[in-house]
Amino acid sequence: MNWFLPSRRSLACAQIEGGLQAWKRHGFFDGDPVASAKAVEHFSAPRLPKAMMDGINPSLLAVIWLVTFISGTRAERDQLLPFANVGLGLLRAATEPDSKLAPWEQNIAQRALVELSAFVDASNINLNLHTGEAQRDAVPIDGSNSMACIIAERSYLDNRYGVGGWHMVSQASIEEAGRFYDKLTIRLTKGGETIIWFDLTASKAKWTDEGNIEALRQFQKASSKVVNENKIDVAKKIVLDCLSALNYSTEQHEFNAYLPTKKTVEDLISHAINENLTPEELALLLIDAGFVDHNASLKKFESIFIAANYPTLGERAKDVAQSARAERLERHDKLLTEIFKRAVEKGTLLVPQYGSVGVAMKNALGTLMEPSTLPEKQKVNSKTPRDRDRAMTELINRMKN
C-alpha cells in the first residue's frame, strides 16, 4: 500500500460529501454534507467485506455504500432522495466508457443501477427534472445578486463535468414569457459541445443595482487578493530555486535574510500588481531591495562583533567582521545576479539598483538611476523608471552573455 495516497474509503467518502454539497447549493439537501457522508460510511462500511472495499473503484464503492444506506436505514424516503441522486451521479461517472471496470465491478454497477432507479422511480419526486439541456429543463439558480448567480452556475458545471472538464464558448441572457434565463454553450474537455440552460427568474427579482455593484466589488477584491498571494508565492519559489541552484541553504531564516523589511515587501507587491510585473520581476525587486537591508543588518552585526571581541582579538576583530560581511554580501550579490538572469530570460526591462549588476549598469550609463520602486510623483526626472529601463535594453542583451 502507498501510504502517501488517500485510501479508497476516504476517496469514496469525499465523493459522497462532494455530491451532497452540490445538492445543498441548489436547495435540494438541507443536511450537513460532511456529517452525512461520514454517517453513510459508518453505517455501510461494517456491512461490506474489507477485501472488496480495498480493491474496488472508489466511485463504485461510494455507490455501494449509498445503496446499502438507502436500503438499510429507517430515514424517510424524502430525506433519502438526495443520497439516491448522488449515487446515480457517481454511478454514471464510474461507468463511463474509459473507466475500465473489471467484469465483477460491472456486475455490481448494474445491480446498483437497478436498485437506485427503482428507488427514485417509486418516489413522487423526480430528482432529475432539471438537466439544463433544454430550456424547459433549465437548472434553477438562487442568488441574491448577479455575481452570486454566476458563481453558482460555474459551481454547477464544475460539479457536473469536473473542475477543468469544461470551457465556456458563449453565454447569452434571454428574457422570454416573463422568465429570465442564462444560456451557456460549453466545450467539454472530453470532446464535443453542449448547451446548458439556467433559470434565474426568482433570483433576478431580488437583484438591485447597488447589490450587484457591491458584489462585483467584493469579488474583484477577493480575486485581487488571490492574484497577489499567488504572485508573491511564485516569486518566493523563484528565489528558493535560485538559492538551490547556487547551493545555498534554503532554511527559512536563511531565506528571509535576503528579503527586505515586511513593509517594503508589501509595497513591492502592490507595485508589481499595479505595473503588471511578472513573478520574476517581483523576485528581482525583492532581492534588490533586500540588498540594502541586508547590508545594514550586517554592518550592525559587524559593530557588535568588533565591540565584543576587540579586547581579545584587537585589530584582527575588525578584519574578521569585515571579511564575514563581505562574504555574505557576495552571496547576496550572486543571488541577485542569478535572479536577474532569469528575469532577463522572460524579457524583463527592469535592472537592479544594487549589487555588481546595478553598479555595472550605472557605470555604463554614466548616471545614477533612481530606484524603480519609488512612486512617480516623487520623481524629478521626466522619464519613468520603465522608460529608463527600455533605454538599457541593449545593455541587458549584452549582459545575457
Side-chain angles (χ1 to χ4, degrees):
M1 179 182 294
N2 189 336
W3 298 103
F4 296 99
L5 296 178
S7 67
R8 294 173 189 267
R9 287 184 57 158
S10 62
L11 289 172
C13 187
Q15 291 193 38
I16 295 173
E17 178 188 331
L20 292 174
Q21 285 177 340
W23 282 97
K24 186 178 182 70
R25 281 194 291 270
H26 297 300
F28 295 108
F29 180 66
D30 57 4
D32 181 349
V34 177
S36 299
K38 282 294 183 184
V40 172
E41 179 185 6
H42 291 159
F43 180 89
S44 305
R47 292 167 168 76
L48 300 173
K50 184 177 183 301
M52 183 191 75
M53 290 192 293
D54 290 341
I56 198 171
N57 177 287
S59 297
L60 196 52
L61 175 59
V63 172
I64 296 172
W65 281 353
L66 289 166
V67 170
T68 305
F69 180 75
I70 290 169
S71 60
T73 188
R74 296 183 179 180
E76 295 293 329
R77 176 178 293 276
D78 288 353
Q79 294 176 321
L80 294 174
L81 284 172
F83 294 89
N85 193 70
V86 169
L88 287 171
L90 293 175
L91 192 58
R92 284 193 294 269
T95 56
E96 289 183 346
D98 59 349
S99 58
K100 299 180 181 179
L101 293 179
W104 65 275
E105 290 178 317
Q106 294 175 4
N107 291 334
I108 291 176
Q110 186 61 40
R111 292 200 300 272
L113 176 61
V114 171
E115 293 193 40
L116 290 173
S117 298
F119 181 86
V120 173
D121 292 341
S123 65
N124 56 8
I125 298 177
N126 184 357
L127 290 177
N128 293 306
L129 280 176
H130 303 293
T131 63
E133 295 174 359
Q135 186 173 356
R136 65 178 181 276
D137 296 329
V139 178
I141 294 293
D142 185 16
S144 58
N145 53 69
S146 58
M147 184 55 63
C149 291
I150 291 173
I151 294 174
E153 290 175 355
R154 271 51 173 184
S155 178
Y156 173 88
L157 294 173
D158 282 343
N159 282 303
R160 181 167 179 176
Y161 300 108
V163 177
W166 62 277
H167 301 282
M168 183 75 72
V169 175
S170 64
Q171 178 176 3
S173 295
I174 298 174
E175 205 157 358
E176 185 177 289
R179 305 200 69 80
F180 186 75
Y181 302 95
D182 263 356
K183 177 184 177 183
L184 273 61
T185 302
I186 61 174
R187 179 176 294 108
L188 304 180
T189 303
K190 293 183 178 180
E193 290 187 0
T194 189
I195 294 174
I196 300 294
W197 289 80
F198 294 98
D199 188 342
L200 280 68
T201 307
S203 297
K204 192 178 181 184
K206 309 174 188 177
W207 295 357
T208 63
D209 291 341
E210 296 79 6
N212 287 341
I213 293 172
E214 178 59 25
L216 177 60
R217 184 182 294 113
Q218 292 300 324
F219 178 79
Q220 291 173 333
K221 183 178 179 180
S223 299
S224 176
K225 181 179 179 182
V226 172
V227 171
N228 290 358
E229 291 176 349
N230 180 64
K231 183 163 285 190
I232 184 61
D233 287 342
V234 176
K236 287 183 176 180
K237 185 179 184 302
I238 292 169
V239 175
L240 289 171
D241 288 344
C242 290
L243 285 169
S244 179
L246 294 169
N247 295 319
Y248 289 178
S249 171
T250 55
E251 295 179 11
Q252 192 61 39
H253 69 275
E254 178 84 1
F255 170 72
N256 289 334
Y258 294 103
L259 299 179
T261 62
K262 182 178 179 181
K263 178 63 169 62
T264 302
V265 170
E266 294 174 353
D267 290 343
L268 289 177
I269 294 174
S270 177
H271 176 75
I273 297 299
N274 293 335
E275 289 288 320
N276 196 27
L277 303 184
T278 66
E280 286 79 10
E281 289 176 320
L282 176 55
L284 176 62
L285 293 180
L286 286 171
I287 302 305
D288 193 30
F291 196 96
V292 180
D293 293 340
H294 191 191
N295 188 28
S297 64
L298 287 174
K299 283 184 177 179
K300 183 177 180 181
F301 172 78
E302 179 182 325
S303 300
I304 295 173
F305 181 89
I306 293 173
N309 293 277
Y310 194 84
T312 56
L313 298 178
E315 291 296 322
R316 187 165 177 271
K318 295 182 180 180
D319 295 336
V320 172
Q322 291 173 355
S323 177
R325 182 166 70 91
E327 182 181 350
R328 289 290 303 178
L329 286 179
E330 183 181 3
R331 288 165 62 86
H332 197 129
D333 183 53
K334 288 181 178 179
L335 174 61
L336 181 59
T337 303
E338 180 70 19
I339 292 176
F340 176 58
K341 289 179 180 177
R342 298 199 182 196
V344 167
E345 289 172 358
K346 295 290 184 177
T348 186
L349 294 173
L350 295 181
V351 178
Q353 305 296 313
Y354 307 102
S356 59
V357 177
V359 171
M361 287 300 179
K362 291 172 186 176
N363 291 339
L365 287 175
T367 183
L368 181 64
M369 297 185 298
E370 296 171 354
S372 59
T373 57
L374 291 179
E376 289 302 314
K377 63 183 180 180
Q378 296 181 14
K379 299 189 180 303
V380 295
N381 193 302
S382 60
K383 290 186 177 180
T384 67
R386 301 288 284 191
D387 290 332
R388 285 173 168 267
D389 293 335
R390 291 187 181 94
M392 292 183 288
T393 301
E394 184 178 346
L395 292 173
I396 293 176
N397 291 332
R398 292 179 185 174
M399 290 203 66
K400 287 182 181 181
N401 300 322

